[in-house]
Amino acid sequence: EAIVISNGGSMVEALEACGARHIAMPVHRKSLMSILQARPLRRLIEKERPDILHNRSRVPGWIAYLAWRGMNPKARPRFVSTVHGFYSVNRYSAIMTKGERIIAVSESTRQYILKNYPQTPTSQIRVIPRGIDPADYGINYQPSPLWLTQWQQNHPELIGKKVLLLPGRITRLKGHYDFFQLISELKKSGYPVCGLIAGNTHPKKQAYLHELQQQARELGIAS
């Protein structure tokens, strides 16, 4: 059985449809007041008696760690954390390395942990690569003729070109500058390519979006 504790959101319905159970708790606010949730969470853990307590984010991680640390070591669950990316390096982010086992989603993430948190025992880190499911997004996938015809009608400028896709939210860690350089160099070499970025932009990231647009214009690859 899987239980997810969060403040809720758009994915709760899909989560429960998969068979998991969701428990709503305000463990999301980036505030010192959130630490007050440690005691209610400890009571919940004692009631549910999970085998594993899995931390996947920093604020909930601190709450979970404080709740877990205050329990009887012989009765508490094992504490696991997953480092999903390159967080800012500080004591706040260090909670992601407090797990008895630490999952790194890539080899570069493992190197990030070892470089920035050298006190983390290497033996506690396990690399479990994350990405797309090849069963759902196979390399040999072909869209239907109807979809392809509609795509070409909507984007005639892409007919005859190779489209390179960079999916993901528009943030500084997603490699957009490198992607632009790649597209620019391929174009200079005579390859008929077009770069496509698929991802939304948080209102606080508008300045970065403008930087990307300016760089694309400077490289001569803006559409």
Side-chain angles (χ1 to χ4, degrees), residues 37-55:
Q37 295 298 317
R39 184 170 296 177
L41 180 59
R42 184 182 304 133
R43 290 197 294 264
L44 179 62
I45 294 171
E46 292 170 343
K47 174 186 174 183
E48 297 291 345
R49 299 180 62 190
D51 299 297
I52 298 172
L53 181 61
H54 190 176
N55 166 33

Side-chain angles (χ1 to χ4, degrees), residues 65-80:
Y65 178 69
L66 293 174
W68 175 82
R69 192 177 64 175
M71 298 177 66
N72 181 348
K74 295 182 179 180
R76 67 192 182 190
R78 308 316 298 257
F79 189 54
V80 176

Side-chain angles (χ1 to χ4, degrees), residues 19-63:
R21 181 153 55 96
H22 181 261
I23 297 177
M25 289 186 68
V27 294
H28 63 299
R29 297 189 185 94
K30 293 183 179 180
S31 167
L32 286 175
M33 296 300 292
S34 293
I35 300 301
L36 298 177
Q37 295 298 317
R39 184 170 296 177
L41 180 59
R42 184 182 304 133
R43 290 197 294 264
L44 179 62
I45 294 171
E46 292 170 343
K47 174 186 174 183
E48 297 291 345
R49 299 180 62 190
D51 299 297
I52 298 172
L53 181 61
H54 190 176
N55 166 33
R56 302 175 70 91
S57 189
R58 288 174 291 179
V59 172
W62 276 108
I63 298 170

